[in-house]
Amino acid sequence: MRTYAQPIAAVTGALALTATLTACGGSAASADEKTVTVYSADGLKGEAGDGWYDKVFADFEKKTGIKVKYVEGGSGEMVQRALREKSNTQADVIVTLPPFIQQADSKGLLQAYEPQGADQVDGGDKSGDGKWTSVVNNYFGFIHNKKELPQAPKSWEELLDGKFKNKLQYSTPGVAGDGTAVLIKAMHDFGGKEPAMEYLKKLQANNVGPSSSTSKLAPKVDKGELLVANGDVQMNFAQSKSMPNLGIWFPAKGAGKPTTFALPYAAGLVNKAPHTENGKKLLDFMLSVEAQREVSAIGGGFPARKDVKTTDANAIALAKLIEGVEVFEPDWPDIDKNLKTYVDAWKAATGS
């Protein structure tokens, strides 16, 4: 069982690319050299401009003069977009949750680069060949509406109750990182693929339906449209600043102990990126002590660097949040290898 010295959280917001970039085989020979394009899973950019990305990108531009162009979506969505553009690369940096960062690597989307400070990142939170490094640590979790459902459910089984019919939703496995995490946790807690799918088939009676983005579920929970949804600690903790009805919880199997697993935001340099050198500079900056010190205070998450210890109010609250929760380590190589099989099994079980 692996635990982190600290957890994590942030917020969301979508920003579309406003310019067409031309791939130049990894050189920074674009007509617009003072830019760097980031494809990222949602969760670290604030809808009100108050997220970790907002602060880090602004500080980076001020320091280097390089403007960050940002594209956001589900982890799987970002990898698929980068794959479609492989012959005409648009992104310089990609940030996704596991197992999609491993998927990006296995599909040849990443080039090796170890950012400055990567030596302070735990070995389990970076690839052995320098293809990706965690920049913000995080944990998988669920949320509930504290006003309409003051007491969070304790177990998976409670979610089968009729009171959750059309009041429960989780993001789509295989598309969203947190949606895929639902499968991973269920397979762990129920002891394998078959019993997990049997449970999720039953849960489908209460499920509203698919959602490509996990971040879109929190506002629905806050308003009471949903009672329960999936999420992750960093994102939901950050969202709770403007959504006061959000409560974070971790399901257990039956009367067992609640469980979770680390779900870090992992960043890699895109292969044949149009602005490779700018991408390297941004990765260095995201992993700098300066940026890492703000992960909890601004982003609501845990620093990826072991040598950065945060003691702000958010850091204390986050540590308390996961007290008594068992942290397990998924078999990421197996999940990367068999993800399609697991997602197909989920589709068959739920009729999705």
Side-chain angles (χ1 to χ4, degrees):
M1 183 178 76
R2 178 164 64 104
T3 58
Y4 285 109
Q6 310 166 308
I8 351 167
V11 199
T12 62
L15 191 64
L17 266 179
T18 56
T20 300
L21 304 179
T22 304
C24 302
S27 70
S30 167
D32 189 4
E33 292 185 6
K34 281 294 186 180
T35 64
V36 59
T37 298
V38 177
Y39 283 10
S40 179
D42 48 9
L44 293 176
K45 195 173 194 304
E47 291 181 352
D50 56 354
W52 186 69
Y53 271 164
D54 299 284
K55 180 68 162 63
V56 169
F57 292 168
D59 289 348
F60 177 71
E61 183 176 357
K62 184 176 180 181
K63 181 178 180 180
T64 65
I66 299 169
K67 183 175 179 59
V68 179
K69 294 186 176 182
Y70 180 71
V71 181
E72 178 182 279
S75 287
E77 181 185 356
M78 290 296 92
V79 172
Q80 289 304 311
R81 179 167 177 164
L83 269 175
R84 290 195 301 269
E85 298 168 349
K86 202 170 180 181
S87 62
N88 183 27
T89 311
Q90 305 292 301
D92 301 300
V93 171
I94 190 166
V95 184
T96 75
L97 307 180
F100 294 99
I101 194 67
Q102 291 91 340
Q103 185 183 84
D105 187 11
S106 67
K107 293 184 180 299
L109 291 176
L110 305 179
Q111 59 175 300
Y113 178 68
E114 291 192 21
Q116 295 174 22
D119 59 316
Q120 292 295 331
V121 176
D122 185 81
D125 297 327
K126 60 185 177 183
S127 66
D129 59 1
K131 294 289 185 66
W132 57 267
T133 306
S134 297
V135 291
V136 172
N137 280 337
N138 195 10
Y139 293 91
F140 177 60
F142 278 71
I143 48 176
H144 70 106
N145 181 293
K146 294 191 293 186
K147 185 178 179 181
E148 302 293 332
L149 190 69
Q151 181 64 48
K154 288 186 169 58
S155 69
W156 287 103
E157 288 81 0
E158 285 184 52
L159 298 180
L160 300 177
D161 191 283
K163 71 180 179 181
F164 292 108
K165 187 171 180 62
N166 295 324
K167 288 288 187 176
L168 174 151
Q169 190 174 19
Y170 60 92
S171 51
T172 308
V175 175
D178 290 321
T180 305
V182 172
L183 289 188
I184 294 170
K185 179 170 157 57
M187 287 192 293
H188 171 271
D189 289 359
F190 285 91
K193 182 180 75 171
E194 298 307 323
M197 298 310 158
E198 184 180 339
Y199 168 79
L200 291 171
K201 181 179 181 179
K202 295 176 184 176
L203 185 65
Q204 195 66 10
N206 289 341
N207 187 20
V208 170
S211 173
S212 62
S213 173
T214 313
S215 65
K216 294 176 182 178
L217 301 181
K220 295 180 180 180
V221 174
D222 183 60
K223 293 173 186 174
E225 295 174 23
L226 297 172
L227 292 178
V228 171
N230 69 315
D232 61 69
V233 173
Q234 173 277 327
M235 178 173 65
N236 296 142
F237 186 88
Q239 287 173 317
S240 67
K241 289 187 294 183
S242 59
M243 302 178 194
N245 294 322
L246 294 187
I248 300 172
W249 66 288
F250 307 92
K253 168 69 170 66
K257 197 172 185 180
T259 68
T260 188
F261 61 96
L263 204 59
Y265 290 89
L269 186 65
V270 177
N271 195 24
K272 298 182 180 179
H275 307 95
T276 293
E277 293 307 313
N278 294 349
K280 290 178 179 179
K281 290 176 183 177
L282 180 59
L283 288 170
D284 288 347
F285 192 78
M286 286 196 290
L287 209 56
S288 68
V289 171
E290 173 188 352
Q292 289 288 302
R293 280 178 177 159
E294 297 173 328
V295 166
S296 56
I298 295 176
F302 292 119
R305 291 181 59 139
K306 295 180 290 185
D307 60 339
V308 174
K309 309 297 181 184
T310 52
T311 57
D312 57 89
N314 283 355
I316 294 168
L318 286 162
K320 186 175 181 180
L321 191 62
I322 62 165
E323 273 182 14
V325 180
E326 179 184 320
V327 179
F328 67 90
E329 184 169 1
D331 185 345
W332 291 118
D334 170 77
I335 293 165
D336 179 38
K337 180 182 177 182
N338 297 302
L339 180 60
K340 186 179 185 302
T341 299
Y342 297 146
V343 172
D344 286 347
W346 170 80
K347 289 178 179 178
T350 61
S352 298

